[in-house]
Amino acid sequence: MNSLLEELNEEQIKPVLDTEGAVLVTAGAGSGKTRLLTHRIAYLITEKGVNPYNVLAITFTNKAANEMKERLATMLPESMDGMWISTFHSMCVRILRRFIDRIGYGKNFSIYGEDEKERIVKNVIKAKEYDADELAKKALWSISDAKNAGLAPDEYKKLHDYYDSIDEICVIYAEYQKELRANNALDYDDLLLVTYRLLRENSDALEYCQNRFKYIHVDEFQDTNAIQYDLVRLMGAKYGNVFAVGDEDQCIYGWRGANFENIFNFTNDFAGCKVYKLEQNYRSTQNILSAANMLIKHNTARLDKTLWTGNGEGEPIEFLRAGSESDEANGVVSSIIGLVRSGKYKFSDIAILMRLNALSRSFEERLIQYGIPHKIFGGFKFFERKEIKDLLAYLKLIGNPQDNEALARIINFPKRGIGDGTLAQLRNYGAVTG
């Protein structure tokens, strides 16, 4: 135990030792959240005798989940069997593959991405003879927004009656859901929503999750939406051992349904919840933290904390207020040239961060103009490439012959001379023969 705790600071040790009941850790940026989570799990298993089978750790990205697995595998080389370390979505897939037949789906259900969603929505718009201009984009966003809030089409309509085209959007939403169900398919938002419905309606599934996951850990808790929060609340209701780590100051995903107020809801919904703060930052210098503290203190809904570091004052912060994109690019590239000419840095030491890939053009032009070697990160992700989606469609159809969207994607690839009319006849035949 001593060697385990020696790697933590005083702020981190306290929540690690507090193993029973609900615990909320509000942790500033760079304060060692992943280290805290992994050490707490290791402490539960090695010192408290908790079975890894009863431990669940949830985070938001596959990269973060893999990093957590790698750290724990080093700390617990013989004690990883049965432990679930995953994203919310992958956790839900595993639960659904086991229990989804209890609510009328086949266990071989397909999971639809953005391409399949868009194709179904556009087909519905065409069938209803709606004006297609901008409607597909609005409908796709609204469907996801509704599901993140756990709202059916009629519920969403009542709450958003002031939206432009809300009547059409809710009809599209309802028809979209019918098509998914006919195809024995779920979209990514459904993975959460249907799991929540399953746990509410099926006592076997709920009992399995509650008895298995006696110790639940959630990273980046400020990024949870309504359904994710309710999933955690349901699964943790029996034993109450939920360990949530988050920072309401870092909530940037409100546009996709994240609700930082879940941090405050957590302290109310879990009786006796204990709250700890992590304020020591390991990543930045004090000048950066002082500027951040001055800005963030103006937020009205937050748990007060002040980040500090032992890394020293550091270089002063420079601020450029440019009059145009071109001026901004000129200023940044001039600074880069100055840093490299000073002899202290190489081009490979420097990164330009921007909010959108679309903003890169001005910087690319200036970097090329001055002969500065660079690499642009972005573009298509692996699973968004056409050839990968085509291959996955073949595999989906093998696993789930009801999947009309997978069939539509690959039926004429490679070219087989099958037109829309033939495809429509095949769909009708499938619907009639069931």
Side-chain angles (χ1 to χ4, degrees), residues 16-29:
V16 165
L17 298 180
D18 198 345
T19 60
E20 304 304 308
V23 175
L24 172 66
V25 180
T26 175

Side-chain angles (χ1 to χ4, degrees), residues 47-62:
E47 301 300 325
K48 305 297 287 187
V50 173
N51 191 327
Y53 180 86
N54 297 129
V55 175
L56 170 66
I58 314 170
T59 187
F60 275 82
T61 65
N62 289 320

